[in-house]
Amino acid sequence: MRWQLPVNQGRSFEKGTQVVPRALVTGGAGFIGSHVADRFLAGGYEVDVIDNLSSGRRENVPGAATFYELDVGSPEAADIVRRGSFDVIVHLAAQMDVRKSVADPAYDAKVNILGTLNLLEAARKEAPRCRIVFTSTGGAVYGTFANPPTVETHSKEPESPYAVSKLSAEYYLAYYFQLYGLESAVLRFGNVYGPRQDPHGEAGVVSIFCNRLLDGRALTVFGDGLQTRDYIHVADVIEAAWLAATRTLPDDSGLDARAFNIGTAIGTSVLDLASQLQRAAGTNVPIEFAPKRPGEQQESFIAIGKASQVLGWVPRIDLAEGLANTYKWFAARRLTEATGRS
Ligand code: NAD
């Protein structure tokens, strides 16, 4: 861990005659954050990562990044923002378990609202030229009244403390832009899946099904399995984060002005997902049905025209290809773990 950062008044460090842009990735030991850190390193950035490893893994953090094991709400994290001369902060660190948010809404708010405010206060005071890219959720902020595909300006009906805390953070970002000119973009993700995914996330079903298929165990489907979600591959998501960090953004203010849905605009049912994964795995296991979970949305998929028009972003990986690539990753990890143990 490196605690003392060089004090730098400029926006980026100069290495010889070359200016090297700098990015801070919070939650960079997690599923999406570690891919984001990889993308910025590949794009020529120096990357710092803050993560408290509550759900992330140290081995996910790319070796070329500087890692700080810290809570986003801590004074040390604020200090890193103040002194880091970042061009961009991609803020992914979050409590993102909906059930946990219901059980302990205060903890959820502490991480997702107060943690975000800690970074925003530090940025507006001493890094006002830094852009914040915030990761929100297109699955939860719109609620069940949404008539999919849902556009960014749709009314917000958050139905869990997690959705409330994400939406609150979005309101703070809009406020900081309006009052202080602190630039930000909000990405409202669909259900992100792909390599390094853990079962607890919003698209956790993909990782759960991959592990079940590898174990040769039945896939559990809640309700009738016809509920739809918008599954988006992590490679497409990180490209959206890159574009949100580097493209010119609209000058308008307000909650939805610089918010972008990042999905496919296609609703896929859980049953369809299960059969596509069985095909990818080349194996058939039984499907068992369990009672519908209370409060679960029936249909959820998001319109993506705005990200395409403003950021020039389009999803490139179709579901069959993405699931095949994800299953292969889980199978390879199994093999490595088994070899490591033997
Ligand atoms: P993840 O759990 O893999 O990553 C979150 C990371 O944040 C973890 O590494 C965790 O250790 C870290 N973290 C948690 N609390 C922290 C704290 N207080 N201080 C520092 N670090 C902390 O989850 P993910 O799927 O990669 O999600 C990343 C972001 O994307 C989250 O903000 C989430 O809300 C958002 N998102 C994810 C999805 C999805 O489908 N995975 C969908 C919508 C939005």
Side-chain angles (χ1 to χ4, degrees), residues 7 131 249 268:
V7 179
R131 180 182 293 182
L249 296 173
T268 302

Coordinates of all heavy atoms in Angstrom, one line a residue, residues 7 131 249 268:
V7 N 2.4 15.3 -4.4 CA 1.5 16.4 -4.5 C 1.7 17.0 -6.0 O 2.8 17.2 -6.4 CB 1.8 17.5 -3.5 CG1 0.9 18.7 -3.7 CG2 1.7 17.0 -2.1
R131 N -13.5 14.2 -13.6 CA -14.8 13.7 -14.0 C -15.2 12.5 -13.2 O -14.3 11.6 -13.1 CB -14.9 13.4 -15.5 CG -16.3 13.0 -15.9 CD -16.4 12.6 -17.3 NE -16.2 13.7 -18.2 CZ -16.3 13.7 -19.5 NH1 -16.6 12.5 -20.1 NH2 -16.2 14.8 -20.3
L249 N -19.5 15.5 -22.8 CA -20.9 15.2 -22.2 C -21.8 16.4 -22.4 O -21.3 17.5 -22.5 CB -20.8 14.9 -20.7 CG -20.0 13.6 -20.4 CD1 -19.8 13.5 -18.9 CD2 -20.7 12.4 -20.9
T268 N -34.6 -10.9 -21.7 CA -34.4 -12.4 -21.8 C -35.0 -13.0 -20.6 O -34.7 -12.6 -19.5 CB -32.9 -12.7 -21.9 OG1 -32.3 -12.0 -23.0 CG2 -32.6 -14.2 -22.1

